[in-house]
């Protein structure tokens, strides 16, 4: 096996995206995704059984497309990596079984990896991230002021720098991490104690009649609203939860969005009860501001108090324009370098799984074998099964 520039196939099936990615070392060769989101829209959320069946239908075509795009064969692959958790149990089972079958058929080593840590791994790809220094943000495709493509690509992480952290924001997770080693030392500093940010977006979008998925709908509508028209609560920011740096409170770096969701519901009810037109755009903007304000404030606080000077923003909600904007502003003010994946690599995908798999191979970590089982509640501190 090539341990310096391994060719790794990554398989992702934790929710409603069937993803197959291929990387060579830290170079991204292909990222192929088949989403079943359209099949869930009429239900207002992901239906696990439908997602699992969609993975079964999509896996072989997605694999074939990825191999063709990368211009490689299964015989060329050095190792296979697959998401083994966290995620929907049935959906995980499809990807894991497919990966085990490929491993047995080809004799390739198999790595069972953590979906959340993989969101960090994608930032290590040379052509898979934009980098924001304290003086600004750059991207492989950033235009220059003249409108011409930039000739200077951003510095790729390649390997994790010291004092690295990650802010993961998705439909099922909102977490701030300290990462001493992406292969074996990930520490959870704070997380949501109830709804994740993406989950709150979906629930509020339903209250506002915006449909599913809620994140893109609210993000778009919020641009036309007044975020200051309504003041919604910022959960777990009271002194009894925050404490001080010397004596931290019980939820200093944690988030809570269930109360915010309830506040939006009460606001809508009050407008309806008084016979007034519900200002949907203003509510969307004010809700979004409450979410991104508390996420970024607590994340930057955690970084500053734990000596983290480099942070990666990942997860599906990292595609949110206001979250990206405010995270950039606050990281810059705090002197923190921010790395942000391109939009296609923010949501679940196989490239991030392959990227983390390649890191494990290059670090000499032993393969998982085929005896492991999917773990729908795998903790973020477990990098590989």
């Amino acid at each position: 096996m090539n341990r310096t520039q391994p060719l790794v196939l990554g398989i992702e099936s934790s929710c409603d995206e069937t993803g197959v990615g291929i990387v060579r070392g830290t170079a991204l060769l292909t990222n192929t995704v088949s989403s079943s989101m359209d099949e869930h829209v009429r239900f207002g959320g992901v239906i696990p059984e439908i997602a699992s069946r969609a993975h079964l239908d999509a896996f072989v075509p997605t694999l074939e497309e990825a191999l063709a795009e990368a211009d490689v064969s299964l015989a060329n692959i050095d190792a296979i990596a697959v998401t083994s958790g966290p995620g929907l149990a049935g959906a995980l089972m499809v990807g894991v079984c497919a990966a085990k079958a490929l491993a047995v058929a080809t004799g390739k080593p198999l790595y069972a990896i953590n979906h959340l840590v993989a969101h960090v791994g994608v930032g290590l790809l040379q052509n898979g991230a934009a980098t924001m220094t304290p003086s600004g943000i750059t991207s492989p495709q950033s235009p220059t002021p003249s409108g011409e493509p930039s000739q200077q690509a951003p510095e790729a992480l390649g390997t994790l720098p010291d004092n690295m952290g990650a802010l993961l924001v998705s439909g099922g997770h909102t977490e701030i991490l300290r990462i001493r080693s992406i292969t074996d030392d990930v520490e959870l500093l704070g997380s949501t104690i109830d709804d994740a940010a993406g989950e709150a977006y979906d629930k509020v979008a339903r209250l506002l009649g915006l449909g599913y998925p809620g994140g893109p709908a609210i993000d778009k509508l919020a641009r036309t609203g007044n975020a200051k028209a309504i003041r919604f609560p910022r959960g777990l920011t009271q002194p009894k939860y925050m404490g001080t740096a010397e004596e931290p409170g019980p939820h200093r770096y944690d988030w809570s969005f269930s109360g915010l969701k309830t506040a939006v519901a009460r606001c809508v009810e009050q407008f309806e009860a008084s016979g007034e037109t519900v200002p949907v755009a203003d509510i969307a903007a004010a809700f979004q501001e409450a979410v991104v304000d508390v996420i970024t404030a607590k994340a930057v606080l955690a970084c500053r108090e734990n000596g983290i000077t480099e942070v990666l923003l990942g997860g599906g909600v990292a595609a949110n324009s206001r979250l990206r904007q405010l995270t950039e502003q606050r990281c810059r003010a705090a002197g923190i370098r921010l790395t942000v994946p391109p939009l296609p690599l923010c949501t679940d995908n196989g490239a991030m799984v392959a990227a983390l798999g390649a890191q494990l191979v290059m670090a000499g970590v032993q393969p998982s074998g085929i005896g492991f089982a999917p773990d729908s509640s795998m903790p973020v501190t477990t990098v590989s099964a």
Side-chain angles (χ1 to χ4, degrees):
M1 183 196 300
N2 183 345
R3 292 192 179 277
T4 57
Q5 293 290 318
L7 187 64
V8 179
L9 173 75
I11 298 169
E12 157 63 25
S13 69
S14 65
C15 191
D16 60 341
E17 282 97 5
T18 306
V20 178
I22 301 174
V23 305
R24 189 184 299 278
T26 58
L28 175 62
L29 302 185
T30 183
N31 179 41
T32 305
V33 178
S34 174
S35 175
S36 63
M37 182 177 293
D38 290 346
E39 299 179 46
H40 305 283
V41 169
R42 64 192 178 103
F43 300 103
V46 175
I47 306 301
E49 180 64 21
I50 293 177
S52 299
R53 291 179 180 274
H55 288 309
L56 284 169
D57 292 337
F59 179 73
V60 171
T62 305
L63 173 63
E64 291 176 341
E65 182 179 345
L67 292 170
E69 185 172 324
D71 193 23
V72 299
S73 68
L74 286 174
N76 302 134
I77 297 295
D78 291 311
I80 299 169
V82 63
T83 294
S84 63
L88 301 175
L92 288 169
M93 183 67 73
V94 176
V96 167
C97 287
K100 288 182 178 181
L102 286 176
V104 170
T106 62
K108 307 296 181 179
L110 177 61
Y111 290 83
I113 69 165
N114 189 302
H115 168 89
L116 298 177
V117 183
H119 275 297
V120 182
V122 79
L124 300 176
L125 296 175
Q126 295 171 348
N127 47 353
T131 299
M132 192 278 286
T133 67
S135 60
I137 189 165
T138 57
S139 160
Q141 298 177 332
S142 294
T144 62
S146 64
E148 295 299 320
S150 172
Q151 299 302 309
Q152 182 176 3
E155 178 187 355
L157 289 180
T159 57
L160 282 179
D162 294 333
N163 305 320
M164 183 72 191
L167 173 60
L168 303 183
V169 190
S170 70
H173 303 273
T174 305
E175 301 175 337
I176 181 74
L177 312 173
R178 188 216 309 264
I179 304 165
R180 295 185 179 90
S181 167
I182 197 171
T183 59
D184 61 11
D185 192 351
V186 176
E187 179 186 358
L188 178 65
L189 297 178
S191 65
T192 179
I193 65 170
D194 42 53
D195 292 351
E199 185 180 3
Y201 267 89
D202 287 339
K203 291 178 178 178
V204 168
R206 191 177 303 122
L207 288 170
L208 298 178
L210 300 179
Y212 175 84
I218 289 179
D219 191 16
K220 180 179 180 180
L221 185 60
R223 297 170 196 168
T224 67
N226 179 6
K228 297 182 179 179
I230 304 164
R231 172 73 181 183
F232 286 125
R234 274 65 168 164
L236 300 183
T237 57
Q238 299 91 335
K240 65 179 180 179
Y241 298 122
M242 296 293 294
T244 64
E246 294 73 25
E247 297 185 15
H251 296 293
R252 187 167 180 79
Y253 307 141
D254 294 332
W255 295 277
S256 171
F257 299 108
S258 62
L260 172 59
K261 173 196 64 181
T262 302
V264 173
R266 297 293 86 82
C267 179
V268 171
E269 290 173 0
Q270 288 171 7
F271 278 105
E272 292 176 340
S274 63
E276 299 179 66
T277 300
V278 178
V280 177
D282 287 348
I283 292 176
F287 160 77
Q288 176 161 276
E289 195 65 21
V291 172
V292 301
D293 180 25
V294 73
I295 286 177
T296 55
K298 288 204 169 197
V300 169
L301 176 67
C303 290
R304 292 177 64 178
E305 294 185 348
N306 288 276
I308 293 171
T309 57
E310 315 253 356
V311 68
L312 181 136
L313 176 64
V317 183
N320 180 274
S321 63
R322 180 58 180 151
L323 177 61
R324 293 164 80 95
Q325 179 187 50
L326 192 56
T327 305
E328 176 188 344
Q329 291 173 358
R330 288 183 168 170
C331 282
R332 180 186 298 150
I336 298 169
R337 190 177 79 154
L338 174 67
T339 299
V340 186
L343 294 181
L345 296 181
C346 287
T347 52
D348 297 345
N349 61 85
M352 67 184 197
V353 179
L356 179 54
Q359 290 295 317
L360 294 171
V361 172
M362 290 187 287
V365 176
Q366 290 300 307
S368 305
I370 62 172
F372 68 93
D375 182 356
S376 59
S377 57
M378 178 183 285
V380 71
T381 51
T382 300
V383 177
S384 176

